[in-house]
Amino acid sequence: MKSASSGTSEGKEIRLIESTCEFIEAAVHTILCIRGVYPRVIFKAMQKFNAPVRMGRHTKLTNYKSDVVEGLYQTMKKGIVHKVELLILKQVGKSQTLAENIYI
């Protein structure tokens, strides 16, 4: 994500989008840790937005989420994001079922 000059209206909008994406990234990491989607040991306790969060340390997991957040950032810049959902699926036999549907 690249920042524009923060003095302009466009710069302020970009900074808001960046902050929103940073918040969503921290929220997703924390939710995945708390819900036990991945082992707790791959998460590191940190402070973001003056609050405790858990951030993943596993390279594949963090790279994937970074790619997703970058895609969200690009879509938000176009003004076409109406909501963000985190779907957590669980394996039941050979099929997957919705375990949780979280709106962020």
Side-chain angles (χ1 to χ4, degrees):
M1 295 179 280
K2 295 181 182 175
S3 292
S5 172
S6 61
T8 66
S9 176
E10 180 183 330
K12 290 177 182 177
E13 185 177 328
I14 295 296
R15 185 62 200 133
L16 177 61
I17 292 169
E18 289 173 345
S19 295
T20 301
C21 287
E22 189 177 346
F23 171 81
I24 288 171
E25 183 174 26
V28 168
H29 277 268
T30 302
I31 290 166
L32 293 176
C33 177
I34 290 170
R35 297 291 189 241
V37 175
Y38 295 100
R40 194 173 185 97
V41 296
I42 70 166
F43 293 92
K44 177 181 174 184
M46 299 178 71
Q47 287 279 322
K48 283 204 176 256
F49 304 102
N50 210 20
V53 298
R54 294 280 184 173
M55 298 297 287
R57 296 184 295 179
H58 191 276
T59 304
K60 287 182 182 180
L61 178 62
T62 56
N63 287 346
Y64 173 73
K65 280 191 270 163
S66 292
D67 290 346
V68 170
V69 171
E70 179 62 29
L72 176 62
Y73 171 77
Q74 295 301 329
T75 307
M76 288 178 78
K77 277 185 13 182
K78 295 176 184 174
I80 56 176
V81 174
H82 302 285
K83 68 179 175 181
V84 176
E85 275 183 87
L86 174 62
L87 302 176
I88 299 177
L89 303 175
K90 66 179 178 180
Q91 192 76 32
V92 178
K94 292 185 178 183
S95 63
Q96 291 182 336
T97 61
L98 181 63
E100 293 190 62
N101 184 7
I102 302 165
Y103 295 92
I104 300 174

